[in-house]
């Protein structure tokens, strides 16, 4: 990723499927966001803290720690609990919703819906 | 739309672009990238592939090679229109160190997104082998900065501006061209990471560069290379280059579609066709966000065309009145002011075409802007009237009242050249269009014996537009309380109707001639054009059925649509641009004409033919045109090699077909929606229309076919409006 520019918002993308993760990281990067991609749910809280993330895109079916567990991890952390989350999953019925979850997108998703959801989450 | 130019230009034309049938397109606003399926614009390609901004090709080569070979395509997708995804794999490779890499053991994922005046690209290479692989990756680039007219093979350019040699420094490659039009155009590519090396050639006519990487992929490992291509065009007179503007966000991409009426049917395939056509209209939006317009088509007509955007807006009016409003305003702003033969400009005339490339800016072609269209002014009046019927927006009528006056004055002063009451054209510009109706190729209007018709030419459909424009203007003048003038225009329209039938009817053929030529002789070829006359109401009641049935006879109707020219005519050619091909927008206007004629069975046959044809085109997207071979010959529509795809009026053609079947006739000034003889085609059992705007009210409708009968229910109504079932289709 390129250097952070002033006012640039940071998004953590947690997605185990490399093609989808790559697409999300690329698309959001091209749209001007700083994006950090993670392949599993193990170090999400750490990534959110370290990068001062403004938003998390979260898959549910993840290796090591599932998306629902990650949501619990985030809600327990003082810094991370205020960061909004967009859940992007093919199994959204299995979501255990927390107050951080602002939007739920079903896979396969329309990239324009993803951009709109991210824009909305970061402007409200 | 013009394919060929008048002979003067043709004689010296460079080789023309040959085939774009399997092109891949991404576009946003004024930038578009046209490539082959792999995402490449091969160096030296003659297909017109490349990266374009405002009629200029900023990259003519954009090609990926792995170990010197082109990868193999697995998937190519442009579903989101501004973004493409290609998944590629390797052929069998023997690397320089002798290592053999079996085919399909490496994968390349190529993503691109166009945004603002930039294209970002991501290339990820993944190794599925159990051993490490070292690869040479090359990106071959070329920038010819050619004008689209040169790319298309219409104009040869002997004298060019200054092509600067490419510059490479610090992972940034730049191509620059100082045009003779005092514009500096540049293509800047920023690589990340920095290439292992970058070689450049030039100064040459077409500078090239190759960015090379040596990458090592561990077993199961991957590596990503990215680049950003930025396009710029600035005046060389400026003291300082234009500061880069922040790129508009892609969020809200579908917002322009948000206020349109929604249509859902029981037929999933038809729903997908409709969805694609709506996305195509969104993709075709050009210009600024504040003042958008629908470009006519990609790649050749990626700019403002009067006739195209007026017919598109007219067909789509019931779904998207806001598109009509912005179209009317923009064209009014560009309405002709001077008498300028070079541009075929006359006061009050609506423009034909606005080009923004080097050739237009230099005046080497007369298209920046060009006014050589006989019908756009009439269509503009028609659209203003239709918009008023759909919206009751009297404020817009008042705002554009002066433009309406100038358009009406143009009809008398310059439209009717000899005062015979018909509107006719002749080209005054040395490089203009010989033919100035919608069939505007140089051989578009021919006599039965194959001779070209000589101008001044009065086209059959143009007199029909004139009739409807006079009646529409009369309605608008009534709304403005100018009752006497309105009455005069109506009387004039009645005289025109009578004279039209006498002058154009061919008793032996029981059909209308396509035109009157210089000697006021009928051009007695059988064409699709009289179908437009059916729609406009100029055809006497007693002839409507005859004309409708003639249009649908086998020599005109191929089974996939009505041909531009009967296959019995000497000039017929199933692959002739206006001499036998099939145009979806033409057929949509005919469908509405058949509706007006009360010929629903013929309308069904026409609608079903186009629906069947659409299923054979990639992405279910109807192109600008297709060949006129009979359906019985090959069973599939035959693709025209250089048809624009998408094309605005082809995308909007579905709205025309649907309007005819649903029988929708808004009469907003009367706070009424009229529904005339609703009749769904056999491939639709039900249709739901939601948020249909009639004035400031909204209506939801549900149509249901029961046997041969179609019932319509009003599901919801918001605002002060009523629904009336009527028997006749007459907007007046």
């Amino acid at each position: 990723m390129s250097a952070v520019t002033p006012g640039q918002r940071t998004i953590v993308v947690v997605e185990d499927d490399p093609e989808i993760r790559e697409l999300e990281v690329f698309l959001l990067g091209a749209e001007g966001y700083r994006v950090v991609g993670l392949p599993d749910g193990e170090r999400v809280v750490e990534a959110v803290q370290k990068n001062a993330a403004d938003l998390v895109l979260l898959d549910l079916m993840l290796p090591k720690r599932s998306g629902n567990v990650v949501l619990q991890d985030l809600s327990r952390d003082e810094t991370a609990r205020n960061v909004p989350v967009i859940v992007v999953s093919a199994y959204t019925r299995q979501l255990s919703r927390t107050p951080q979850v602002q939007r739920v997108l079903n896979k396969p998703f329309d990239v324009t819906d993803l951009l709109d959801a991210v824009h909305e989450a970061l402007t409200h | 739309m013009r394919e060929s130019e008048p002979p003067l230009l043709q004689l010296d034309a460079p080789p023309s672009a040959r085939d774009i049938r399997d092109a891949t397109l991404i576009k946003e606003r004024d930038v578009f990238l046209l490539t082959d399926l792999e995402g490449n614009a091969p160096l030296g390609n003659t297909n017109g592939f490349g990266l374009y901004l405002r009629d200029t090709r900023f990259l003519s080569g954009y090609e990926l090679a792995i170990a010197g070979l082109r990868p193999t395509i697995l998937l190519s997708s442009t579903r989101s229109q501004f973004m493409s995804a290609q998944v590629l794999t390797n052929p069998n490779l023997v690397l320089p160190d002798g290592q053999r890499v079996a085919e399909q053991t490496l994968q390349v994922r190529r993503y691109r997104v166009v945004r603002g005046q930039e294209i970002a690209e991501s290339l990820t290479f993944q190794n599925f082998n159990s051993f490490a692989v070292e690869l040479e990756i090359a990106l071959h680039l070329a920038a010819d900065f050619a004008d689209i007219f040169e790319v298309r093979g219409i104009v040869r350019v002997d004298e060019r501006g200054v092509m600067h040699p490419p510059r490479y420094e610090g992972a940034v490659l730049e191509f620059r061209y100082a045009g003779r039009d005092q514009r500096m155009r540049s293509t800047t590519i920023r690589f990340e990471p920095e290439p292992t090396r970058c070689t450049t050639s030039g100064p040459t006519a077409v500078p090239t560069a190759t960015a090379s990487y040596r990458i090592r992929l561990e077993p199961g490992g991957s590596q990503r290379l990215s680049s950003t291509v930025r396009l710029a065009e600035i005046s060389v007179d400026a003291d300082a280059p234009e500061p880069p503007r922040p790129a508009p966000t892609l969020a809200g991409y579908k917002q322009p579609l948000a206020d349109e009426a929604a249509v859902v049917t029981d037929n999933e395939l038809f729903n997908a066709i409709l969805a694609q056509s709506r996305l195509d209209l969104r993709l075709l939006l050009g210009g600024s966000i504040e003042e958008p317009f629908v470009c006519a088509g990609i790649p050749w007509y990626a700019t403002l065309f009067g006739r195209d955007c007026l017919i598109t807006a007219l067909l789509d009016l019931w779904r998207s009145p806001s598109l009509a409003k912005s179209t009317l305003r923009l064209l009014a702003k560009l309405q002709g002011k001077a008498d300028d033969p070079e541009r075929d400009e006359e006061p009050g005339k609506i423009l034909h075409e606005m080009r923004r490339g080097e050739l237009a800016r230099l005046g080497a072609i007369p298209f920046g802007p060009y006014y050589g269209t006989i019908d756009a002014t009439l269509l503009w009046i028609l659209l203003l009237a239709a918009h008023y019927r759909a919206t009751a927006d009297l404020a817009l009528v008042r705002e554009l009242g002066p433009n309406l006056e100038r358009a009406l004055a143009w009809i008398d002063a310059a439209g009717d050249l000899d005062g015979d009451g018909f509107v006719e054209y002749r080209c005054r510009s040395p490089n203009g269009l010989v033919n100035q109706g919608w069939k505007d190729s140089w051989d578009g209007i021919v006599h039965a014996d194959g001779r070209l018709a000589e101008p001044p030419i009065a086209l059959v459909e143009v007199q029909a537009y004139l009739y409807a424009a006079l009646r529409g203007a009369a309605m608008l003048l009534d709304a403005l309380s100018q009752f006497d003038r309105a009455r005069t225009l109506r009387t004039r329209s009645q005289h025109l109707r009578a004279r039209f039938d006498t002058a154009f009817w061919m008793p032996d053929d029981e059909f209308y001639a396509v035109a009157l030529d210089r000697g006021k002789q009928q051009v007695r070829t059988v064409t699709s054009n009289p179908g437009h006359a059916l729609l406009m109401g100029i055809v006497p009641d007693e002839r409507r059925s005859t004309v409708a049935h003639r249009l649908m006879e086998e020599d005109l109707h191929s089974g996939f649509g009505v041909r531009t020219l009967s296959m019995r005519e000497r000039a017929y050619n199933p692959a002739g641009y206006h001499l036998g091909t099939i145009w979806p927008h033409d057929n949509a206007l005919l469908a509405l004409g058949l509706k007006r004629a009360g010929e629903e069975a013929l309308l069904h046959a026409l609608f079903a033919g186009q629906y069947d044809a659409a299923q054979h085109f990639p992405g279910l997207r109807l192109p600008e045109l297709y060949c006129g071979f009979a359906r019985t010959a090959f069973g599939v529509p035959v693709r025209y090699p250089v048809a624009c795809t998408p094309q605005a009026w082809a995308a909007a053609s579905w709205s025309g077909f649907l309007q005819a079947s649903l029988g929708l006739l808004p009469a907003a000034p009367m706070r009424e929606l009229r529904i005339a003889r609703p009749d769904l085609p056999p491939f639709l059992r039900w249709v739901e229309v939601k948020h249909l705007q009639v004035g400031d009210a909204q209506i939801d409708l549900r149509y249901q076919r029961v046997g041969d009968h179609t019932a319509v229910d009003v599901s919801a109504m918001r605002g002060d409006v009523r629904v009336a079932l009527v028997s006749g289709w007459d907007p007046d």
Side-chain angles (χ1 to χ4, degrees), chain B residues 18 36 52 99 131 177 181 212 215 282 331 357 360 375 378 402 429 436 480 488 494 522 526 536 538 607 638 658 703:
Chain B
R18 290 197 186 119
D36 61 16
Y52 291 84
Q99 187 182 31
F131 51 87
Y177 171 65
D181 60 345
S212 305
I215 63 169
R282 168 61 187 87
L331 291 175
D375 51 11
L378 306 172
S429 170
Q436 300 190 351
L480 296 171
T488 306
Q494 283 160 4
Q522 289 181 342
V526 172
M536 298 298 158
I538 197 171
F607 198 170
V638 177
L658 275 171
Y703 293 74

Side-chain angles (χ1 to χ4, degrees), chain B residues 17 53 69 98 107 190 201 245 306 309 361 407 416 437 473 505-506 637 672 682 713:
Chain B
L53 168 68
L69 297 173
Q107 196 184 88
R190 184 178 294 276
S201 79
R245 282 178 296 176
C309 63
R361 291 173 53 83
D416 182 0
W505 186 249
M506 303 187 290
E672 191 169 273
D713 288 322

